[in-house]
C-alpha cells in the first residue's frame, strides 16, 4: 500500500452566478485593480489516503467527488496527485 | 397522522417542528440519523437547522446518513416527505428534488418575514390554500438561493411544480421581494410524483398568532386531511 | 501546608524578573506566589498563576468594588461566583443568565472574536443545566465612516450571527453604538438567557473524592494561549501580529456539546460540569476544585491534543473552544461515554478529584504543577487603586452649552440628520443577519425596546435588554451608570415586564491609571445605588479592563443586561403606534438638557456638558405607573426615550413597521427652545399611545402614581405627515422621506442597500 497526497479542487460550474466572486472582484477594483476580468471562488480539499496504485487512488477520489465532495448540479471537480510515499504504514 | 421528524447532528428546528405537528393534532416522533428504519409512519419531515454545521455544503453530509436510504424508499413508494430549509437542501442533495440551494446573493444570512404566493394549491401539502393567496412566513437562511439548470427549470415550470414564489404585498413576484436571488423567485418546489416537497421558508414558525402569523397552519392541515382521507390529487 | 515540589522540566526557561513581567505579574505578586508555595514556582506553574491571577480571571482590580453591589433578593437562587446567575421565575422554573465580553480578540479578528464570545457565554449557561433560549449582543465601534470600523463591525455582526444561528438560539435584541471614543477598541458583549427546572441546577464543583475528571469536546490545540493575559493588556500595533492567539470557534460542535451536556446533567452520572473558557483546563479544574474544597489531579498525557509536541504549559493554558470539564461519578464512565458517542463527541479521562486541595498536574510520573486550588482562586491578590477624576473630563463636563443655536431655521434638516445617524437609524441591517425566530418562542423581536420570549410552560414571558450610553458615563460616571440601569428598567417596563435582576459587563480602560479607576469606582457606585432602589440585584457579570489603544481609553461603558418577567403574555406591549386617532401622551418632563446628547455629537461634533440628571425615585414611580397601565390594558404602545430625544422616539413609534406606518400631529406646550425640546435626552420619559377613549383614564393612573403626564397629540394617517409644533419652533416632514433615511442609512453605509 502506498500513501498518496491528493489535491481535489471543487469549482463552480462555468456560467453559474458567483456572487462571492463578484463581491471579491469589486473589492479588488476599489483597491485599484481594474484589470481583473473575473473571479470565481471554489475550494481545495487536501486529502491523504492509502491505495495500491495511482489509478486506484484517483478512482477512489473520483468516486468520493461524485458521491459527496462535489455537487454535480453546480460544481465541477479536478483531482491531482501531489505526492506518493511507497511502503509506508 | 404519525410523523417521523428526522434529526441530524446540528438540526435545530426539530423541536419547533415537533411542537407544530403536535399542535395541529398529529403524532410526531423523532428519528435519529443513525436509525436504519423509519418505522410505521404516515409522513416524513426533514427539519431546518445546520446539520453538520453546513460544512462542505448545506445538507450534503446529512443526505448521506443511514436513515436517508429509508427516506428514499419511503419517497419512492409515494410516502409524503416535507423538507424545510436545511431539509430542502438535503432533498436536493439526495436527488429527491432537482436543483440546488446556493449562497444568498447578498452573501448575508437573511432572517425576516417574507411574502409567498401560492403557485400550486392542488398538492397534498397545499390543498387548503387558495390559488395565488399570499402568505407571510419567516425565512432564516444563508443558502436559500434556489438554482436549477435551464432544462430542469423549464420542466419545473411547465409541469407546475413550483409551489411558492417570493412576492410583495400585492402578490407580484418582484426582484425586491426576492430575499436571496433564487431563480424565478422560487421558494418551494415539488417532485414529479407530487409527494416530496421542499421549501426554504419556515411554515412551522407561522402557526400561532402570538408568533406573528398563522399562514403556515394550512400546510400542515392539508397534510393531515390527506392522511385522514387520502384522495388522488 | 507543605506543597510538593515539581521537578524541573528539560527545556523550560529559567524564571527571571523579565519573564515574570511578561506573564503580567508584578514582583510583589511573584513574592506572594513564593510565599504560598514555600518555594520558587516551576515555569508551568508560573504560566498557571499568570492566567489565574490575570485581570480577566482574577478580577484583582475590580473585586473589592464589586463587593459593594447588591446581590441578594428572595428570588435570587444563585448570585455572583458561579458560571452564571440564576433567579426563580415561579412555577418551579429558573432563569439562568449572564453577559460576557470578548473585546480584545474582536479587535484583532472580529469574526472569530465575536463568534467565540457567543460560544463562551452559551457554555456558561448550559453548564448550569439550563437550555439557552435567547442571546443579546451589546456592541460599540468607532466612527462608521472609517473603512476599518466597517470591517470590524461587519465581521463582528457576522460572527455573532453565524455562531448563534448555527447553534439555533434566537437573537432577541441588543444594541450598537458608534462613537469616535471606541476607535480601535470595539466592545463586544454577549448575553445569554437559559431556562431550567429549579431543581435541576448543577454547580461547577468537583464533588466526590475519587470521581473522574473527563475532558469532553474538541481536542486541545494552541489557540488562544494566554488569551486571558491578552485580555488583560492594552492593544498595540503588535497586537495585529498576534492573530494566531485568537481562538477559532466551531458552532456545530458547540451544538452537540450543548445537547450532550444537558443529557449528561439530567442523567445523574455526573456531579459537576464547567466549560473550559479563559485559561482552559487550568481555570475550569482549579475553580471546580476550589469551590468544592477538594483537589484535582490531572495527567497531562491523557489530555487529547491536536497539535504535536505540546508542552504541559501549552496544554494547561490553551483556550481551544468547545471543551467542557466533567466530573463523572466513579463507575459511570461507560454510561457517560455512551451519551457522548451518540453526539459524536470525544470524552477522555484526564484525572480525578482528590482530597488534598491541590491543583496537581503530572507528566508521566513527574509532577509539573502542585498549587493549592484556593491559591489560584481565593488568594488572588485584590487591589483598591487610586482614583482621581481627569481634569480634562471635568472641564468638558462643565463646558457652557448656552452658546449653541437652539432655535435654528432648519429643524427638518437637523432631524433627518439625526434619524439617519448610525446610532438612531434602523438597525435592521444587523438583526436581519440573526435568526430571531428559531425555537418559535420569540414574541417580540429586535427593533423594539426589549426582546421577549414566551414560556411554553405557563402563560408568562421573559424580557431582556442591554443598555449603556458610554458618553454619559464618560462625562459623569456616577450619573451615567445610574442612567444605564434606569434605561434598562424603562425598556423592560415598556414591553410590560417587571425588572427582576441584572448582569453587568464593565468595560473600561487601564485601571492602574487613576482617572480610569475613578470612572470604574464611580460607575460601580452609581450602578449599585440604582440597582438597590429598583430591587434588581446583580447576579454576576464580567469585567473587561485595558480597553485602550496607544493609551487612549474607551469611554467607560458599564453595560447593564437586565431581565424581567411579563406575568401574562397578553399584556406584552410594542413600541409601535397602532391606528390613526389614537392619543399620544408623554410620561415624564422635557428639560433643557443637551449634555452628552446625540444631537451634540452629530451636529456640533461635541461630547460635553453634564449628562441628563437621573432621579431614581421618579424612575421607579414611572416604572410602576407604566406597568399598572399595561396590566389594565390601557396602552396601544409604549416606547422609551433615549438618543435623539422626543422627536426620534416619535419617529420610531410611527415608522417602525414599514408595512404599517403612521404620521403624528403633536403640539408641545413646554417653554423650551426647539432643539432641547425635540432632541434633548432628559431621563425618566416614556412615550405612550392609547385609544382616544382611554386617555382620561391614562391621565388619572399617571396622577395616582405621581408621574407627570401630558397628552401631546395624536396618531394620524401617514399621508398627513409628521408634525411637531413647539412654542418657538416646529418640525414638519413627509413620512416617506423620513422612512427612507431611517431604514436605508445603515445599509447604504455598509454597501448592501435593500438586500439582506
Amino acid at each position: 500500500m502506498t500513501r498518496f497526497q491528493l489535491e481535489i479542487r471543487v469549482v463552480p460550474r462555468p456560467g453559474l452566478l458567483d456572487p462571492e466572486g463578484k463581491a471579491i472582484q469589486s473589492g479588488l477594483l476599489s483597491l485599484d485593480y481594474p484589470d481583473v476580468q473575473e473571479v470565481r471562488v471554489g475550494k481545495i480539499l487536501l486529502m491523504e489516503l492509502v491505495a495500491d496504485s495511482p489509478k486506484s487512488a484517483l478512482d477512489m477520489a473520483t468516486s468520493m467527488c461524485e458521491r459527496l465532495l462535489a455537487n454535480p448540479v453546480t460544481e465541477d471537480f479536478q483531482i491531482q496527485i501531489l505526492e506518493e510515499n511507497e511502503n509506508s504504514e | 397522522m404519525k410523523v417521523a421528524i428526522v434529526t441530524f447532528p446540528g438540526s435545530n428546528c426539530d423541536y419547533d417542528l415537533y411542537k407544530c405537528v403536535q399542535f395541529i393534532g398529529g403524532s410526531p416522533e423523532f428519528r435519529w440519523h443513525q436509525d436504519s428504519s423509519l418505522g410505521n409512519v404516515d409522513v416524513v419531515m426533514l427539519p431546518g437547522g445546520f446539520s453538520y454545521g453546513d460544512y462542505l455544503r448545506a445538507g450534503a453530509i446529512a443526505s448521506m446518513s443511514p436513515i436517508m436510504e429509508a427516506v428514499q424508499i419511503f419517497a419512492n413508494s409515494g410516502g409524503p416527505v416535507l423538507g424545510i430549509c436545511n431539509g430542502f437542501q438535503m432533498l436536493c442533495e439526495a436527488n429527491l428534488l432537482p436543483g440546488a440551494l446556493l449562497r444568498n446573493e447578498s452573501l448575508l444570512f437573511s432572517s425576516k418575514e417574507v411574502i409567498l404566493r401560492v403557485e400550486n394549491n392542488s398538492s397534498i401539502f397545499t390543498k387548503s390554500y387558495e390559488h395565488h393567496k399570499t402568505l407571510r412566513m419567516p425565512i432564516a437562511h444563508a443558502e436559500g438561493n434556489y438554482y436549477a439548470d435551464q432544462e430542469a427549470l423549464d420542466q419545473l415550470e411547465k409541469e407546475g411544480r413550483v409551489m411558492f414564489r417570493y412576492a410583495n404585498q400585492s402578490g407580484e413576484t418582484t426582484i425586491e421581494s426576492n430575499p436571496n436571488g433564487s431563480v424565478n423567485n422560487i421558494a418551494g418546489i415539488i417532485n414529479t410524483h407530487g409527494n416530496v416537497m421542499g421549501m426554504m421558508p419556515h411554515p412551522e414558525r407561522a402557526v400561532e398568532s402570538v408568533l406573528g402569523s398563522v399562514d403556515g397552519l394550512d400546510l400542515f392541515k392539508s397534510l393531515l386531511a390527506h392522511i385522514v382521507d387520502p384522495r388522488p390529487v | 501546608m507543605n506543597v510538593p515540589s515539581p521537578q524541573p522540566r528539560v527545556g523550560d526557561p529559567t524564571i527571571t524578573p523579565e519573564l515574570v513581567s511578561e506573564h503580567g505579574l508584578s514582583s510583589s505578586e511573584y513574592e506572594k506566589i513564593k510565599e504560598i508555595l514555600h518555594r520558587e514556582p516551576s515555569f508551568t506553574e508560573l504560566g498557571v498563576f499568570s492566567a489565574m491571577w490575570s485581570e480577566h480571571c482574577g478580577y484583582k482590580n475590580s473585586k473589592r468594588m464589586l463587593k459593594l453591589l447588591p446581590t441578594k433578593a428572595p428570588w435570587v437562587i444563585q448570585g455572583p461566583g458561579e458560571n452564571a446567575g440564576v433567579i426563580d421565575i415561579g412555577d418551579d422554573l429558573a432563569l439562568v443568565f449572564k453577559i460576557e465580553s470578548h473585546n480584545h480578540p474582536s479587535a484583532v479578528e472580529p469574526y472569530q472574536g465575536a463568534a467565540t464570545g457567543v460560544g463562551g457565554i452559551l457554555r456558561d449557561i448550559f453548564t448550569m443545566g439550563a437550555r439557552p433560549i435567547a442571546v443579546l449582543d451589546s456592541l460599540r465601534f468607532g466612527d462608521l465612516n472609517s473603512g476599518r470600523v466597517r470591517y470590524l463591525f461587519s465581521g463582528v455582526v457576522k460572527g455573532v450571527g453565524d455562531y448563534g444561528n448555527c447553534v439555533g438560539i434566537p437573537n432577541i435584541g441588543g444594541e450598537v453604538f458608534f462613537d469616535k471614543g471606541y476607535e480601535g477598541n470595539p466592545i463586544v458583549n454577549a448575553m445569554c438567557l437559559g431556562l431550567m427546572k429549579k431543581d435541576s441546577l448543577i454547580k461547577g464543583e468537583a464533588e466526590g473524592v475519587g470521581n473522574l475528571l473527563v475532558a469532553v469536546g474538541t481536542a486541545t490545540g494552541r489557540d488562544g494561549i494566554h488569551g486571558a493575559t491578552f485580555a488583560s493588556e492594552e492593544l498595540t500595533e503588535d497586537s495585529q501580529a498576534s492573530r494566531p492567539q485568537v481562538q477559532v470557534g466551531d458552532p456545530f460542535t458547540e451544538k452537540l456539546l450543548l445537547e450532550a451536556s444537558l443529557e449528561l446533567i439530567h442523567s445523574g452520572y455526573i456531579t459537576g460540569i464547567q466549560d473550559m473558557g479563559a485559561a482552559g483546563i487550568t481555570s475550569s479544574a482549579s475553580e471546580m476544585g476550589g469551590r468544592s474544597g477538594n483537589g484535582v489531579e490531572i495527567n497531562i498525557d491523557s489530555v487529547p491534543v491536536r497539535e504535536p509536541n505540546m508542552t504541559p504549559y501549552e496544554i494547561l493554558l490553551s483556550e481551544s473552544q468547545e471543551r467542557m470539564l466533567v466530573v463523572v461519578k466513579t463507575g459511570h464512565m461507560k454510561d457517560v461515554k455512551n451519551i457522548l458517542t451518540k453526539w459524536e463527541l470525544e470524552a477522555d479521562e484526564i484525572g480525578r478529584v482528590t482530597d488534598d486541595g491541590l491543583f496537581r498536574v503530572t507528566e508521566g510520573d513527574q509532577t509539573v504543577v502542585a498549587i493549592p486550588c484556593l491559591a489560584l482562586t481565593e488568594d488572588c491578590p485584590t487591589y483598591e487603586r487610586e482614583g482621581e477624576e481627569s481634569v480634562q473630563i471635568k472641564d468638558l463636563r462643565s463646558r457652557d452649552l448656552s452658546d449653541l443655536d437652539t432655535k435654528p431655521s432648519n429643524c427638518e434638516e437637523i432631524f433627518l440628520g439625526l434619524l439617519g445617524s448610525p446610532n438612531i437609524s434602523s438597525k435592521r441591517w444587523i438583526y436581519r443577519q440573526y435568526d430571531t425566530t428559531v425555537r418559535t418562542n420569540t414574541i417580540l423581536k429586535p427593533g423594539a425596546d426589549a426582546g421577549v420570549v414566551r414560556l411554553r410552560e405557563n402563560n408568562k414571558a421573559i424580557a431582556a435588554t442591554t443598555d449603556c450610553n458610554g458618553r454619559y458615563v464618560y462625562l459623569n460616571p456616577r450619573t451615567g451608570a445610574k442612567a444605564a440601569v434606569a434605561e434598562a428598567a424603562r425598556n423592560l417596563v415598556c414591553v410590560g415586564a417587571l425588572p427582576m435582576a441584572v448582569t453587568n459587563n464593565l468595560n473600561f480602560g487601564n485601571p492602574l491609571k487613576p482617572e480610569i479607576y475613578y470612572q470604574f469606582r464611580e460607575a460601580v457606585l452609581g450602578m449599585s445605588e440604582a440597582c438597590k432602589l429598583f430591587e434588581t440585584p446583580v447576579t454576576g457579570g464580567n469585567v473587561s479592563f485595558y480597553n485602550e489603544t496607544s493609551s487612549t481609553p474607551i469611554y467607560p461603558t458599564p453595560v447593564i443586561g437586565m431581565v424581567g418577567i411579563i406575568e401574562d403574555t397578553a399584556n406584552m406591549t410594542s413600541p409601535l403606534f397602532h391606528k390613526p386617532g389614537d392619543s399620544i401622551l408623554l410620561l415624564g418632563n422635557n428639560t433643557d438638557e443637551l449634555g452628552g446628547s446625540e444631537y451634540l455629537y452629530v451636529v456640533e461634533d461635541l461630547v460635553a456638558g453634564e449628562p441628563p440628571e437621573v432621579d431614581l425615585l421618579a424612575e421607579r414611580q414611572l416604572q410602576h405607573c407604566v406597568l399598572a397601565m399595561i396590566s389594565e390594558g390601557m396602552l396601544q404602545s409604549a416606547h422609551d426615550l433615549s438618543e435623539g430625544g422626543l422627536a426620534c422616539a416619535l419617529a420610531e413609534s410611527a415608522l417602525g413597521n414599514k408595512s404599517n406606518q403612521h404620521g403624528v400631529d403633536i403640539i408641545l406646550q413646554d417653554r423650551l427652545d426647539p432643539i432641547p425640546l425635540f432632541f434633548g435626552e432628559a431621563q425618566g420619559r416614556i412615550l405612550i399611545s392609547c385609544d382616544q377613549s382611554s386617555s382620561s383614564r391614562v391621565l388619572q393612573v399617571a396622577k395616582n402614581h405621581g408621574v407627570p403626564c401630558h397628552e401631546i397629540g395624536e396618531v394620524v394617517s401617514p399621508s398627513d405627515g409628521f408634525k411637531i409644533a413647539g412654542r418657538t419652533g416646529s418640525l414638519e416632514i413627509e413620512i416617506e422621506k423620513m422612512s427612507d433615511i431611517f431604514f436605508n442609512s445603515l445599509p447604504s453605509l455598509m454597501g448592501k442597500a435593500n438586500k439582506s
Side-chain angles (χ1 to χ4, degrees):
Chain A
M1 289 291 245
T2 312
R3 177 173 274 152
F4 291 91
Q5 312 272 26
L6 297 168
E7 179 189 278
I8 301 172
R9 290 172 175 231
V10 177
V11 291
R13 303 196 97 176
L16 204 70
L17 178 70
D18 186 355
E20 195 175 359
K22 285 211 151 23
I24 293 172
Q25 195 181 353
S26 6
L28 289 172
L29 184 64
S30 64
L31 286 174
D32 280 321
Y33 292 107
D35 303 317
V36 176
Q37 309 280 48
E38 195 193 26
V39 176
R40 297 166 67 65
V41 182
K43 54 179 125 99
I44 290 184
L45 292 102
L46 298 167
M47 193 179 290
E48 206 176 285
L49 52 74
V50 287
D52 291 322
S53 64
K55 179 175 189 307
S56 163
L58 287 171
D59 284 347
M60 211 189 309
T62 303
S63 160
M64 286 189 255
C65 285
E66 285 167 352
R67 289 187 68 197
L68 179 66
L69 304 179
N71 182 332
V73 178
T74 52
E75 295 170 327
D76 287 332
F77 61 87
Q78 296 142 22
I79 307 169
Q80 208 187 342
I81 296 180
L82 297 175
E83 230 182 271
E84 30 183 304
N85 290 301
E86 292 254 350
N87 299 324
S88 47
E89 252 312 293
Chain B
M1 174 172 77
K2 278 178 77 187
V3 181
I5 298 174
V6 185
T7 52
F8 303 83
S11 294
N12 59 38
C13 306
D14 46 339
Y15 175 80
D16 298 346
L17 198 48
Y18 188 97
K19 284 285 171 194
C20 169
V21 171
Q22 251 181 356
F23 184 70
I24 53 124
S27 311
E29 285 168 19
F30 287 123
R31 289 284 178 272
W32 188 233
H33 71 114
Q34 302 270 19
D35 296 343
S36 47
S37 141
L38 288 165
N40 186 16
V41 293
D42 303 307
V43 179
V44 171
M45 293 186 185
L46 303 180
F50 281 72
S51 58
Y52 295 96
D54 272 6
Y55 294 144
L56 187 66
R57 292 182 307 279
I61 302 175
S63 68
M64 304 271 137
S65 295
I67 193 109
M68 286 306 285
E69 210 181 298
V71 174
Q72 293 260 12
I73 294 171
F74 182 82
N76 291 338
S77 56
V81 179
L82 174 66
I84 297 170
C85 198
N86 195 209
F88 184 13
Q89 292 158 343
M90 287 177 216
L91 290 172
C92 289
E93 285 286 339
N95 290 319
L96 281 166
L97 286 174
L101 279 322
L102 304 176
R103 198 160 169 198
N104 293 350
E105 206 169 44
S106 64
L107 303 180
L108 298 176
F109 188 92
S110 185
S111 160
K112 62 180 187 175
E113 195 180 71
V114 294
I115 296 175
L116 300 176
R117 194 176 71 190
V118 181
E119 299 295 281
N120 173 338
N121 68 338
S122 18
S123 78
I124 60 177
F125 302 96
T126 51
K127 303 193 282 210
S128 303
Y129 286 121
E130 247 176 72
H131 189 56
H132 272 221
K133 179 187 164 78
T134 55
L135 315 172
R136 284 185 307 117
M137 226 175 267
I139 57 166
H141 57 244
E143 286 156 69
N145 181 350
Y146 181 73
Y147 168 83
D149 63 34
Q150 202 55 56
E151 200 185 313
L153 192 59
D154 288 343
Q155 202 185 4
L156 271 174
E157 295 285 3
K158 205 174 70 178
E159 293 173 12
R161 286 163 42 216
V162 173
M163 303 305 291
F164 306 104
R165 281 187 225 270
Y166 301 110
N168 63 16
Q169 262 174 322
S170 320
E172 300 158 326
T173 54
T174 60
I175 294 178
E176 292 77 34
S177 60
N178 186 332
N180 50 40
S182 67
V183 70
N184 294 0
N185 279 34
I186 291 174
I189 60 172
I190 203 164
N191 69 345
T192 332
H193 196 82
N195 64 316
V196 178
M197 180 169 90
M199 60 191 293
M200 284 313 294
H202 287 269
E204 80 282 14
R205 297 190 194 181
V207 296
E208 286 177 79
S209 50
V210 77
L211 298 177
S213 166
V214 293
D215 293 348
L217 265 177
D218 280 342
L219 192 154
F220 297 98
K221 284 188 177 165
S222 299
L223 256 180
L224 188 61
H226 170 76
I227 300 300
V228 162
D229 182 17
R231 278 162 210 226
V233 277
Chain C
M1 76 173 335
N2 228 353
V3 182
S5 300
Q7 291 86 339
R9 274 187 90 245
V10 174
D12 275 356
T14 342
I15 297 181
T16 60
E18 290 78 38
L19 194 64
V20 169
S21 160
E22 269 168 46
H23 276 79
L25 293 163
S26 69
S27 51
S28 63
E29 285 168 348
Y30 187 67
E31 289 307 307
K32 188 162 184 203
I33 291 173
K34 286 200 289 189
E35 226 178 87
I36 291 171
L37 298 177
H38 300 291
R39 55 171 171 80
E40 296 259 346
S42 69
F43 174 64
T44 310
E45 288 176 329
L46 181 68
V48 168
F49 271 105
S50 122
M52 293 305 292
W53 283 16
S54 70
E55 189 62 56
H56 192 85
C57 291
Y59 285 69
K60 46 193 180 188
N61 286 303
S62 60
K63 221 172 196 167
R64 291 202 194 176
M65 281 307 305
L66 294 178
K67 286 202 195 296
L68 298 176
L69 293 170
T71 60
K72 298 202 194 313
W75 55 89
V76 173
I77 296 174
Q78 174 67 54
E82 261 283 348
N83 289 295
V86 187
I87 60 170
D88 187 337
I89 56 175
D91 304 301
D92 283 324
L93 295 171
L95 184 74
V96 180
F97 63 104
K98 191 173 172 204
I99 193 169
E100 269 262 347
S101 66
H102 230 223
N103 303 336
H104 291 79
S106 300
V108 168
E109 179 20 79
Y111 179 77
Q112 289 298 347
T116 50
V118 174
I121 192 66
L122 286 175
R123 287 194 298 278
D124 277 338
I125 299 305
F126 66 73
T127 229
M128 307 282 285
R131 177 172 286 278
I133 59 173
V135 291
L136 294 92
D137 54 319
S138 178
L139 315 172
R140 306 286 183 286
F141 301 95
D143 191 317
L144 260 187
N145 289 314
S146 141
R148 168 125 191 110
V149 170
R150 287 199 297 276
Y151 161 72
L152 289 175
F153 174 51
S154 57
V156 164
V157 169
K158 190 161 201 299
V160 169
D162 282 0
Y163 205 99
N165 296 342
C166 184
V167 181
I169 316 290
N171 184 308
I172 65 170
E175 47 164 4
V176 65
F177 199 82
F178 301 95
D179 189 302
K180 287 185 281 231
Y182 297 103
E183 211 84 35
N185 284 90
I187 300 296
V188 178
N189 297 162
M191 178 174 173
C192 181
L193 314 177
L195 192 67
M196 63 188 299
K197 284 205 142 5
K198 247 179 18 179
D199 53 18
S200 303
L201 188 65
I202 190 168
K203 305 231 174 167
E205 287 182 10
E207 285 287 333
V209 178
N211 281 342
L212 307 163
L213 289 177
V214 177
V216 175
T218 51
T220 299
R222 291 197 164 91
D223 330 46
I225 288 174
H226 280 313
T229 322
F230 176 50
S232 311
E233 286 165 5
E234 297 171 29
L235 289 175
T236 61
E237 264 148 38
D238 293 334
S239 307
Q240 268 299 121
S242 62
R243 254 195 217 213
Q245 276 185 348
V246 172
Q247 310 99 322
V248 173
D250 177 358
F252 170 56
T253 301
E254 176 98 339
K255 164 72 171 163
L256 302 177
L257 207 54
L258 192 163
E259 298 300 335
S261 298
L262 291 179
E263 214 174 302
L264 280 174
I265 290 168
H266 294 123
S267 70
Y269 301 139
I270 68 172
T271 65
I273 181 167
Q274 174 137 339
D275 85 302
M276 297 195 213
I281 295 178
T282 298
S283 60
S284 50
S286 59
E287 282 170 14
M288 290 181 91
R291 285 192 200 110
S292 64
N294 288 325
V296 293
E297 179 175 314
I298 299 195
N299 184 341
I300 213 77
D301 306 300
S302 319
V303 177
V305 290
R306 62 168 200 262
E307 299 265 351
N309 307 320
M310 286 186 72
T311 62
Y313 181 99
E314 292 175 315
I315 294 173
L316 287 173
L317 299 182
S318 162
E319 297 191 0
S320 295
Q321 298 289 291
E322 290 97 24
R323 298 176 300 159
M324 309 288 282
L325 187 64
V326 180
V327 183
V328 179
K329 291 182 184 160
T330 14
H332 284 289
M333 189 60 191
K334 192 136 187 268
D335 299 309
V336 165
K337 270 218 136 144
N338 285 342
I339 292 177
L340 291 163
T341 306
K342 171 188 165 193
W343 291 103
E344 303 183 14
L345 291 169
E346 288 295 318
D348 292 276
E349 201 182 306
I350 63 167
R352 53 189 195 91
V353 179
T354 65
D355 60 0
D356 62 11
L358 289 179
F359 174 65
R360 188 198 298 262
V361 180
T362 56
E363 185 184 15
D365 53 7
Q366 309 271 61
T367 305
V368 290
V369 171
I371 304 171
C373 287
L374 291 173
L376 295 170
T377 55
E378 301 290 308
D379 293 348
C380 175
T382 60
Y383 306 104
E384 191 151 345
R385 297 277 167 199
E386 287 286 305
E388 193 181 321
E389 187 172 25
S390 138
V391 172
Q392 195 194 13
I393 296 178
K394 234 193 268 195
D395 288 343
L396 270 177
R397 183 170 64 244
S398 40
R399 191 193 187 287
D400 183 12
L401 298 175
S402 58
D403 56 346
L404 296 172
D405 179 8
T406 52
K407 269 199 300 212
S409 52
N410 61 339
C411 271
E412 281 85 4
E413 203 183 304
I414 293 174
F415 178 48
L416 288 175
L418 281 176
L419 262 193
S421 90
N423 287 332
I424 294 175
S425 66
S426 168
K427 308 295 184 292
R428 258 179 10 171
W429 184 90
I430 299 174
Y431 55 76
R432 279 186 165 180
Q433 294 181 55
Y434 299 157
D435 192 339
T436 57
T437 53
V438 64
R439 297 203 71 80
T440 56
N441 286 325
T442 310
I443 58 175
L444 196 55
K445 297 176 226 174
D449 287 39
V452 183
V453 279
R454 58 106 182 249
L455 301 177
R456 283 178 190 271
E457 289 77 357
N458 51 31
N459 201 24
K460 300 184 190 174
I462 301 291
T465 179
T466 61
D467 291 288
C468 179
N469 185 318
R471 285 181 197 140
Y472 295 172
V473 187
Y474 172 68
L475 292 168
N476 185 328
R478 196 173 302 209
T479 304
K482 287 197 289 189
V485 180
E487 188 182 350
R490 288 196 306 271
N491 278 327
L492 288 184
V493 303
C494 279
V495 302
L498 176 70
M500 300 290 289
V502 161
T503 175
N504 57 45
N505 211 133
L506 305 174
N507 305 280
F508 290 80
N510 180 341
L512 304 180
K513 296 182 182 171
E515 63 271 20
I516 304 293
Y517 196 77
Y518 171 82
Q519 293 174 331
F520 175 68
R521 193 182 68 210
E522 289 296 301
V524 172
L525 289 173
M527 188 190 344
S528 184
E529 202 184 322
C531 287
K532 278 192 189 128
L533 207 107
F534 294 167
E535 291 182 276
T536 51
V538 177
T539 58
N542 177 254
V543 177
S544 170
F545 277 137
Y546 300 98
N547 292 288
E548 306 202 359
T549 305
S550 318
S551 301
T552 309
I554 51 159
Y555 292 149
T557 312
V559 173
I560 303 297
M562 195 181 276
V563 294
I565 300 182
I566 301 178
E567 286 297 322
D568 186 347
T569 23
N571 286 340
M572 190 196 69
T573 308
S574 102
L576 304 175
F577 292 142
H578 198 66
K579 65 185 193 297
D582 281 352
S583 304
I584 301 177
L585 303 99
L586 182 66
L587 292 165
N589 287 323
N590 299 322
T591 65
D592 191 11
E593 291 168 300
L594 282 171
S597 64
E598 183 70 10
Y599 169 83
L600 221 54
Y601 181 76
V602 169
V603 175
E604 304 282 348
D605 195 20
L606 196 58
V607 176
E610 185 77 58
E613 201 184 295
V614 181
D615 179 348
L616 293 176
L617 277 165
E619 294 278 352
R620 190 80 165 129
Q621 282 170 312
L622 174 65
Q623 293 162 22
H624 286 151
C625 175
V626 172
L627 286 176
M629 289 176 175
I630 288 176
S631 70
E632 279 192 49
M634 284 179 229
L635 301 182
Q636 298 279 39
S637 72
H639 185 33
D640 166 53
L641 269 69
S642 57
E643 288 88 35
L646 180 55
C648 292
L650 282 162
E652 285 156 3
S653 289
L655 301 175
N657 180 350
K658 242 187 157 187
S659 46
N660 186 21
Q661 294 181 326
H662 305 278
V664 299
D665 190 1
I666 304 289
I667 299 175
L668 300 167
Q669 303 291 354
D670 312 70
R671 292 180 192 284
L672 289 170
D673 281 345
I675 294 300
L677 182 58
F678 298 160
F679 312 124
E681 295 176 8
Q683 294 290 291
R685 294 180 298 167
I686 287 179
L687 184 72
I688 53 179
S689 71
C690 66
D691 191 278
Q692 213 175 52
S693 58
S694 306
S695 49
S696 48
R697 178 76 189 122
V698 167
L699 288 162
Q700 186 59 52
V701 173
K703 191 158 181 222
N704 295 345
H705 280 85
V707 177
C709 182
H710 296 97
E711 192 163 342
I712 58 174
E714 63 171 349
V715 181
V716 298
S717 108
S719 51
D720 290 334
F722 186 91
K723 297 183 194 142
I724 311 180
R727 278 175 186 264
T728 54
S730 64
L731 246 183
E732 192 168 331
I733 201 161
E734 295 111 57
I735 293 297
E736 212 178 299
K737 210 171 178 180
M738 281 169 62
S739 182
D740 185 43
I741 290 200
F742 181 69
F743 285 109
N744 294 328
S745 290
L746 194 57
S748 304
L749 252 178
M750 299 309 291
K752 300 251 190 261
N754 297 327
K755 238 0 178 184
S756 100

